[in-house]
Amino acid sequence: MNKAVALRTARSVCPHDCPSACALDVDVIDSHTIGRVRGAKDDPYTAGVICEKVARYAERVHHPDRLTQPLRRSGPKGSGQFTPISWDEALDEIAARFTAIENEHGAEAIWPYYYAGTMGHVHRDGIDRLRAAKGYSHQYDTICTGTAWPGYIAGTGMLGGVNPEQMAESDCVVIWGTNAVHTQVNVMTHAMRAKKERKAKIVVIDIYETATMAQADLGLVLRPGTDGALAVAVMHVLLRDNLADRDYMAKYTDFGPDFEAHLATKTPEWAAEITGLSVEQITAFAHLVGTTPRSYFRLGYGFTRQRNGSTAMHAALCIPAMTGAWQHRGGGAFHSNSGTWKLDKSRITGSYLQKGNPRSLDMSEIGPVLTGDAKALKGGGPVMAMIVQNTNPASVAPDQTLTHRGFAREDLFLVVHEQFMTETAEFADIVLPATMFLEHNDYYTRGGHTRVLYGPAVIERLAGTWSNHEVINALALRLGLDDDLFRTRDRDVVAETFRRSNYGELDEIEKSGFVDRERPDAAARFADGFAWPDKRFRFEPNWEETRLKKGYMWTCDPAAMPRFADHWAITEATDAGHPFRLATSPARAFLNSSFNETPGSQKREGAPSVFIHPDDAVRLGIEEGVFVTVGNRRGSVDLTARIRTGLPTGVLIAEGLHKNKSHRGGKGINTLTNATPAPPFGGATFHDAAVWIRRAD
Ligand SMILES: Nc1nc2c(c(=O)[nH]1)N[C@H]1C(S)=C(S)[C@@H](COP(=O)(O)OP(=O)(O)OC[C@H]3O[C@@H](n4cnc5c(=O)[nH]c(N)nc54)[C@H](O)[C@@H]3O)O[C@H]1N2
Ligand SMILES: Nc1nc2c(c(=O)[nH]1)N[C@H]1C(S)=C(S)[C@@H](COP(=O)(O)OP(=O)(O)OC[C@H]3O[C@@H](n4cnc5c(=O)[nH]c(N)nc54)[C@H](O)[C@@H]3O)O[C@H]1N2
Ligand code: SF4
Ligand SMILES: [Mo]
């Protein structure tokens, strides 16, 4: 940490893929150097609190391993052997190769690939501008939100909910399937305020005792993939014990006799068998939310990373529709506000330049796509070239064996634009060095709250790095595209996007650093009805209408979907050869694979490890700290055993995405996860794997 006196404090925004999008105060020591990073005190959601990994950001932005020169591969694929080249050489070569591949195989053979390494829209989504103008293959975005969002929309009709600041006014905060202490610490700020000031009860629902659960009054540890069973049993108890708000349901929902009959068999005894919870725990939870009008359901992503994740999200969301919690301040539900920005992003994505109607390839299926799976390729030809920005699929994508086999193809031309030599960059033919958020201009939406924030460059860029926006533009011009969109600067694109979206002028917005998109409280709690034509919340989802809301694609037979909110037993089943269920829950000091390069985070997370229940450990002769191998049909991974109470027998938890090479044997945790799209519309099921475990040889 740099102890020098700060020249000034600059306002910025955390760019990482976290629902909090914290407003930051960054100490600027000189035009090239930052010092401490703090959470902005005057931002009501950030409220002066940020996570420790971003507080230490000087470690990341001034890291000695940052890339500063374009590189050309000089050894075999994946060898990590490169020769420095100039930017002109690199861009010329990419343009020449892309053109040759397009001429030989067609534009769809090129697949630009990105995700949310930065959440700034200009530098994240600008890759789509090149894609559209050239008619390259589309990317179907599923990896993170593919199961969660449809499950929520299926109930309410839109992606939005009650302002999360109102958690502080709640009498019961239900933190469901998110380890907020690790993944979005600001949820805890507001929930704990309710606990302190109003003696609110905190409920946490997870598959092991997390740091978040340690703060709970009621912690429910259930078996992975059984949240739907808990939710319908809670509704059974609410009806049975006259705790359902029948007036609210009659006015605001599709509740009827068929759904009531469906719930009649969903007893706590039935759910106890499935979830591993006791009848008393289920009943106590139902009574708590049934007798607390101001119950706030903060629904996370984690529990939707199961094969039945969309239906689980929908089932959990049904509870406040039955208690009528939506009617009360401090009550209701929230998953994401990403459906509320109303941004015109055409200057970023170049949507109006779209050429042809190319196929859309599922990003979670990158392994099958690159290894020639006909279904994943949508009946088209192979992918022959990629440009990757803002993501590290060699580490984060499911079914790592296939992903690596694909990246190792000698006939795949791979360009990776990165800040560090990630495990994806190591596979590249050309590596391009990228700026960081403190070195470029962008705006950020905050899915976990109500604001859109502006983050200007606060220091000079590290010499040799280019921003995503610049790379996309330079490449487009070399590929013969001459639309003025490819001659823009990042700040101007932000300004124009704000103008087109009726947000106002950037010069003005910059003074406060944000636009508040908070909707009127009544709208956020659907007081005038839910976002379906009949204005009713749906206990009986219409998945086809849900699909149409966002242009999703079916990945299963529509007739297979359960009719009502339900437990859908389709997770990867254990059997004699694979008796354990593995979840790959988030590590506190890493953010996906980001920060696994910073010393502070590496120190905190230590070696890649797996939590196992003491009874299982004794039975299998596994002692604390020994090497174990965890495996399944897709491969096997070496980890260090950590014996823990606080998780069910038969369940294993491996926190975090350590570098693949930090694992003995070099295979990362995603070797064990699967790339088969979840129903109904795709999504990766990172916490859903049946595995075996044994002491390593
Ligand atoms: N420190 C840190 N912060 C992060 C990230 C990170 O990797 N590390 N990732 C970022 C990203 S990209 C995202 S999308 C968000 C995600 O943040 P979250 O919404 O918190 O989702 P997950 O991190 O997937 O998992 C949260 C919890 O779900 C639990 N879980 C798994 N399966 C089940 C289940 O079947 N039922 C229940 N009830 N719980 C289950 C896991 O054990 C885990 O504790 O976090 C962001 N923030
Ligand atoms: N096993 C397991 N796997 C998971 C998950 C899990 O829970 N378990 N979570 C999944 C989820 S929710 C998600 S969202 C994905 C996320 O996966 P990724 O989107 O791949 O997230 P990161 O690993 O953080 O990688 C982002 C990369 O972008 C780079 N980057 C950051 N800013 C910029 C920039 O401005 N320009 C360029 N060119 N690069 C930049 C960073 O250096 C980093 O290497 O991972 C998924 N993978
Ligand atoms: S909590 Fe999330 S948004 Fe806030 S600083 Fe940390 S990673 Fe960034
Ligand atoms: Mo994510």
Side-chain angles (χ1 to χ4, degrees):
M1 189 66 62
N2 203 318
K3 295 260 168 21
V5 181
L7 187 71
R8 65 183 179 107
T9 301
R11 177 55 56 90
S12 185
V13 190
C14 175
H16 287 283
D17 191 357
C18 167
S20 289
C22 291
L24 305 178
D25 284 327
V26 181
D27 282 354
V28 179
I29 290 168
D30 60 42
S31 61
H32 291 90
T33 320
I34 68 156
R36 283 185 50 192
V37 177
R38 279 164 278 117
K41 289 208 174 75
D42 59 357
D43 180 287
Y45 189 66
T46 305
V49 179
I50 56 168
C51 63
E52 55 188 64
K53 57 193 178 301
V54 172
R56 289 191 302 256
Y57 215 82
E59 269 189 16
R60 191 163 191 275
V61 70
H62 303 310
H63 198 297
D65 296 345
R66 273 191 65 185
L67 298 171
T68 55
Q69 260 189 313
L71 303 168
R72 179 195 285 132
R73 177 165 69 92
S74 58
K77 283 265 176 174
S79 63
Q81 294 166 26
F82 294 98
T83 315
I85 52 174
S86 71
W87 270 100
D88 273 336
E89 282 175 283
L91 293 167
D92 285 346
E93 182 165 334
I94 298 166
R97 290 294 299 270
F98 275 22
T99 304
I101 287 168
E102 181 180 346
N103 290 341
E104 189 180 343
H105 301 275
E108 282 190 338
I110 299 169
W111 191 29
Y113 192 92
Y114 75 110
Y115 206 58
T118 173
M119 290 284 275
H121 290 201
V122 174
H123 296 285
R124 185 189 66 190
D125 304 329
I127 196 170
D128 281 341
R129 182 164 75 244
L130 175 65
R131 185 199 310 277
K134 290 299 297 177
Y136 295 155
S137 281
H138 286 298
Q139 171 176 310
Y140 187 44
D141 293 342
T142 54
I143 201 162
C144 177
T145 65
T147 48
W149 288 8
Y152 192 93
I153 296 168
T156 57
M158 70 166 284
L159 197 58
V162 177
N163 186 341
E165 274 167 42
Q166 278 188 38
M167 277 185 285
E169 298 174 49
S170 174
D171 294 322
C172 172
V173 182
V174 181
I175 300 175
W176 196 320
T178 169
N179 184 0
V181 168
H182 286 195
T183 62
Q184 38 176 335
V185 63
N186 312 76
V187 166
M188 301 314 286
T189 307
H190 299 280
M192 296 318 278
R193 194 177 290 165
K195 183 169 166 137
K196 257 194 222 110
E197 292 171 9
R198 311 172 54 87
K199 302 208 171 7
K201 294 276 185 282
I202 309 293
V203 183
V204 174
I205 305 172
D206 207 295
I207 56 175
Y208 72 117
E209 279 176 18
T210 59
T212 305
M213 201 177 285
Q215 316 273 333
D217 300 283
L218 178 61
L220 300 176
V221 174
L222 41 61
R223 292 198 169 281
T226 64
D227 301 76
L230 171 63
V232 289
V234 165
M235 289 190 273
H236 172 98
V237 175
L238 292 171
L239 290 169
R240 184 193 70 190
D241 297 349
N242 283 325
L243 295 169
D245 186 335
R246 287 184 180 269
D247 292 340
Y248 181 81
M249 286 199 290
K251 190 164 170 213
Y252 283 101
T253 76
D254 66 354
F255 184 78
D258 285 1
F259 183 51
E260 188 156 8
H262 164 75
L263 291 177
T265 56
K266 311 298 182 198
T267 61
E269 289 75 14
W270 165 86
E273 276 291 309
I274 297 168
T275 58
L277 296 167
S278 68
V279 170
E280 292 71 31
Q281 283 175 306
I282 297 168
T283 311
F285 176 42
H287 285 175
L288 177 61
V289 297
T291 57
T292 313
R294 293 183 174 212
S295 290
Y296 190 100
F297 287 74
R298 182 63 180 82
L299 305 169
Y301 286 97
F303 76 116
T304 72
R305 307 198 197 289
Q306 302 280 345
R307 189 147 293 278
N308 58 10
S310 289
T311 54
M313 169 62 85
H314 172 253
L317 179 66
C318 285
I319 299 174
M322 183 169 279
T323 62
W326 285 104
Q327 299 164 99
H328 311 287
R329 259 195 94 81
F334 184 82
H335 171 59
S336 168
N337 262 343
S338 295
T340 64
W341 313 125
K342 299 203 167 34
L343 281 157
D344 175 346
K345 287 169 58 174
S346 55
R347 295 291 291 173
I348 299 172
T349 61
S351 41
Y352 54 88
L353 300 175
Q354 181 62 52
K355 189 174 164 196
N357 183 22
R359 64 184 168 180
S360 189
L361 302 175
D362 182 348
M363 67 179 304
S364 302
E365 289 191 280
I366 182 170
V369 163
L370 292 183
T371 51
D373 181 289
K375 199 166 161 228
L377 285 167
K378 303 282 154 65
V383 166
M384 301 302 293
M386 295 178 77
I387 172 166
V388 177
Q389 285 185 323
N390 290 328
T391 181
N392 182 14
S395 169
V396 307
D399 206 336
Q400 189 166 106
T401 308
L402 282 187
T403 311
H404 285 205
R405 198 177 294 155
F407 278 144
R409 271 173 44 198
E410 281 294 336
D411 65 344
L412 175 75
F413 179 66
L414 178 66
V415 179
V416 177
H417 187 198
E418 249 301 342
Q419 296 163 340
F420 291 96
M421 183 54 75
T422 59
E423 287 169 311
T424 305
E426 281 177 358
F427 278 109
D429 293 281
I430 302 275
V431 179
L432 303 172
T435 48
M436 279 190 190
F437 76 107
L438 295 165
E439 302 161 338
H440 57 232
N441 302 299
D442 213 333
Y443 77 89
Y444 305 82
T445 49
R446 186 186 274 167
H449 189 246
T450 62
R451 288 188 175 188
V452 178
L453 300 102
Y454 180 61
V458 303
I459 50 173
E460 300 283 328
R461 68 177 63 196
L462 184 63
T465 59
W466 285 30
S467 73
N468 293 2
H469 184 75
E470 291 161 342
V471 165
I472 294 302
N473 281 358
L475 199 53
L477 294 175
R478 275 182 171 71
L479 287 163
L481 299 166
D482 66 355
D483 194 277
D484 70 339
L485 269 194
F486 299 111
R487 293 193 175 82
T488 54
R489 289 185 314 174
D490 54 9
R491 193 180 192 284
D492 302 331
V493 178
V494 175
E496 184 61 21
T497 301
F498 281 178
R499 212 171 285 135
R500 285 173 182 239
S501 309
N502 299 319
Y503 277 29
E505 289 300 313
L506 179 57
D507 289 344
E508 272 307 304
I509 292 167
E510 193 166 14
K511 290 177 190 156
S512 67
F514 67 89
V515 179
D516 202 334
R517 297 290 300 170
E518 184 178 8
R519 294 181 300 148
D521 192 42
R525 53 182 71 263
F526 302 105
D528 299 323
F530 287 86
W532 293 112
D534 64 0
K535 296 186 178 274
R536 288 172 184 275
F537 180 92
R538 291 178 173 174
F539 293 108
E540 179 177 1
N542 182 323
W543 291 103
E544 175 57 15
E545 285 179 23
T546 304
R547 185 186 76 75
L548 293 173
K549 287 262 181 188
K550 278 199 155 289
Y552 289 121
M553 300 191 281
W554 279 103
T555 59
C556 72
D557 175 4
M561 300 298 292
R563 180 176 167 201
F564 293 111
D566 210 345
H567 170 58
W568 194 15
I570 55 165
T571 52
E572 200 165 273
T574 52
D575 58 28
H578 309 84
F580 285 86
R581 297 264 313 162
L582 170 75
T584 59
S585 307
R588 185 168 185 161
F590 299 152
L591 196 144
N592 306 319
S593 72
S594 297
F595 297 91
N596 72 14
E597 69 286 323
T598 52
S601 293
Q602 287 171 341
K603 185 157 166 245
R604 193 176 196 288
E605 294 304 334
S609 55
V610 61
F611 301 158
I612 180 168
H613 189 278
D615 293 353
D616 289 328
V618 167
R619 197 165 44 80
L620 297 171
I622 291 170
E623 289 133 30
E624 172 72 17
V626 301
F627 272 120
V628 288
T629 306
V630 179
N632 60 16
R633 298 166 194 89
R634 294 177 285 274
S636 65
V637 175
D638 279 7
L639 298 138
T640 301
R642 298 277 169 230
I643 299 175
R644 286 285 171 92
T645 53
L647 76 167
T649 55
V651 173
L652 304 174
I653 305 285
E655 284 188 350
L657 284 157
H658 294 254
K659 283 184 202 271
N660 303 329
K661 57 170 85 75
S662 301
H663 293 259
R664 200 177 66 159
K667 284 186 246 163
I669 197 70
N670 275 318
T671 305
L672 301 171
T673 57
N674 81 86
T676 310
F681 311 133
T685 54
F686 290 111
H687 305 326
D688 183 352
V691 296
W692 49 260
I693 179 170
R694 60 166 187 252
R695 250 187 110 117
D697 313 318

